[in-house]
Amino acid sequence: MEIGIDSFAMLLPDSETGMLQSAVDRMEAVLAEVELADQVGLDVFGMGEHHRENALDSAPAVILAAAAARTKTIRLTSAVAVLSAADPVRVFQEFATLDLISRGRTEIVVGRGSSVDAYPLFGFDLRDYDALFLEKLELLLKIREEPKIKWQGRFRPPLNGEGVFPRPHQSTLPVWLGVGGTPESFIRAGTLGLPLMVAIIGGSFERFRPLVELYRRAWDAAGHPPEGKRVGVHALGFVGDTDEAARNAFFPGWFQMFTDAGKERGWAPPTRAQFEQMCGPQGAFAVGSPATVAAKVLHADRALGGVSRFTFQMSTAALETEAMRGSIELLGTDVAPLVRGRDLD
């Protein structure tokens, strides 16, 4: 199993002063985090995409390009690229360029996004939410196969063989489909023969098993080669020397993020009791000591019938700089070997 981290490059207010971090300092910290992840042997680093005041990841390919220049082996990916609100031609060009800079370490995880900020910003109607994604995914996959295509759609001017360049270093740029809880999305990924990245930010891993099985059945029904069928998990996680240390470092940022999200979406305020439950054996948070976190990752693997990649979203602990660096180091030096050792059993 591949182990990695995802970042939203979040700006969080200090819990005591209420002051936001400097954007310059936070960006430097993000690049230092991916550099450390590379040094400790993690497999993948993902950068999200948001278009709001408290996040610095509106241009993920730019951040990943800076990370490529500071790393050697770690794979670099979006997490996710909001394809519905973007031009697939530009998305392909940006990530193909990143693939050249990184010498073939680039991937794209595409999705519709968990927030809708990008849609009005770029002039798209939310009533076209599904149609936008379907059309743009189709175009991205066509461009991936051929540089010069003839294509016409509803949301973008037609292509008449002009040519989309540069081409990536890899013969085929990997494209994953990022999904939440919509059954049709799981089926779509299997039908198209795309690796699946499942965002699990609450509840339990077990409740996603029927959806993952929809993906696997759709894959088999479409006749795709079995070796390409891959399931990834994106989950909230953090590693500390002890369970208590990890939870105390992660909770304040998690509480702030979900309090803010709750105000926007009409959710009830989160509680420490909810957080502790999610960190427990049946919850979907991989927060704790190396042994606890490794056990949670392996639990997810069993619950979902096999996981190829597990990435940790730990941006909510961004204010705890030393704890964040310690978490990344423990993830690479302690958790990953424990998980990989079990992979060989």
Side-chain angles (χ1 to χ4, degrees), residues 2-6 42-45 309-313 331:
E2 295 175 332
I3 303 293
I5 60 175
D6 294 327
L42 292 178
D43 299 295
V44 61
F45 176 86
R309 175 179 293 179
F310 195 106
T311 59
F312 289 70
Q313 171 51 251
L331 192 59

Side-chain angles (χ1 to χ4, degrees), residues 47 49 60 78-84 91 95 108-113 133:
M47 179 56 63
E49 180 187 340
S78 56
V80 301
V82 185
L83 187 62
S84 305
V91 170
F95 281 87
I108 314 176
V109 180
V110 297
R112 292 178 289 189
F133 184 71

Side-chain angles (χ1 to χ4, degrees), residues 45 56 67 167 219 282 302 305 315 334:
F45 176 86
L56 300 176
R167 307 306 290 179
W219 182 288
Q282 302 306 313
R302 293 189 298 271
S315 291
D334 290 30

Side-chain angles (χ1 to χ4, degrees), residues 202-218:
S204 67
F205 295 114
E206 284 82 358
R207 73 185 181 95
F208 284 85
R209 178 64 178 265
L211 295 169
V212 171
E213 291 303 324
L214 287 177
Y215 165 72
R216 292 184 172 122
R217 289 197 294 272

Side-chain angles (χ1 to χ4, degrees), residues 11-250:
L11 287 171
L12 296 172
D14 187 280
S15 58
E16 295 182 1
T17 68
M19 297 292 291
L20 283 176
Q21 299 163 285
S22 157
V24 170
D25 290 343
R26 178 65 185 124
M27 188 63 77
E28 174 56 34
V30 169
L31 294 174
E33 289 163 14
V34 64
E35 191 172 7
L36 178 60
D38 185 54
Q39 291 169 354
V40 299
L42 292 178
D43 299 295
V44 61
F45 176 86
M47 179 56 63
E49 180 187 340
H50 299 84
H51 300 269
R52 51 177 55 205
E53 188 176 5
N54 67 342
L56 300 176
D57 60 350
S58 64
V62 177
I63 301 174
L64 293 171
R70 298 172 62 154
T71 57
K72 296 180 179 178
T73 61
I74 196 167
R75 296 191 68 77
L76 303 166
T77 182
S78 56
V80 301
V82 185
L83 187 62
S84 305
D87 182 348
V89 172
R90 289 300 285 160
V91 170
F92 183 86
Q93 289 176 325
E94 289 167 357
F95 281 87
T97 302
L98 174 60
D99 200 51
L100 297 176
I101 295 171
S102 66
R103 293 181 176 268
R105 293 187 282 129
T106 298
E107 301 181 0
I108 314 176
V109 180
V110 297
R112 292 178 289 189
S114 59
S115 60
V116 297
D117 308 287
Y119 292 82
L121 180 63
F122 295 109
F124 294 105
D125 192 329
L126 276 171
R127 289 174 295 184
D128 296 324
Y129 185 78
D130 291 321
L132 280 163
F133 184 71
L134 291 175
E135 179 178 299
K136 293 187 176 190
L137 178 60
E138 175 197 32
L139 178 54
L140 179 68
L141 296 178
K142 287 181 179 294
I143 294 168
R144 181 175 70 154
E145 296 303 318
E146 296 288 342
K148 297 182 179 182
I149 64 170
K150 290 190 175 182
W151 175 91
Q152 186 168 354
R154 175 182 168 193
F155 300 105
R156 189 200 185 282
L159 293 174
N160 295 297
E162 292 86 352
V164 179
F165 300 103
R167 307 306 290 179
H169 179 69
Q170 298 173 86
S171 59
T172 301
L173 190 63
V175 175
W176 295 61
L177 191 60
V179 301
T182 306
E184 291 78 10
S185 296
F186 288 79
I187 295 170
R188 181 179 302 125
T191 301
L192 293 173
L194 298 177
L196 181 76
M197 178 57 68
V198 189
I200 303 178
I201 61 171
S204 67
F205 295 114
E206 284 82 358
R207 73 185 181 95
F208 284 85
R209 178 64 178 265
L211 295 169
V212 171
E213 291 303 324
L214 287 177
Y215 165 72
R216 292 184 172 122
R217 289 197 294 272
W219 182 288
D220 294 340
H224 299 300
E227 61 271 15
K229 185 165 46 181
R230 304 181 68 195
V231 175
V233 170
H234 160 98
L236 296 170
F238 197 78
V239 193
D241 291 325
T242 66
D243 288 352
E244 183 180 14
R247 294 179 183 186
N248 287 340
F250 195 70

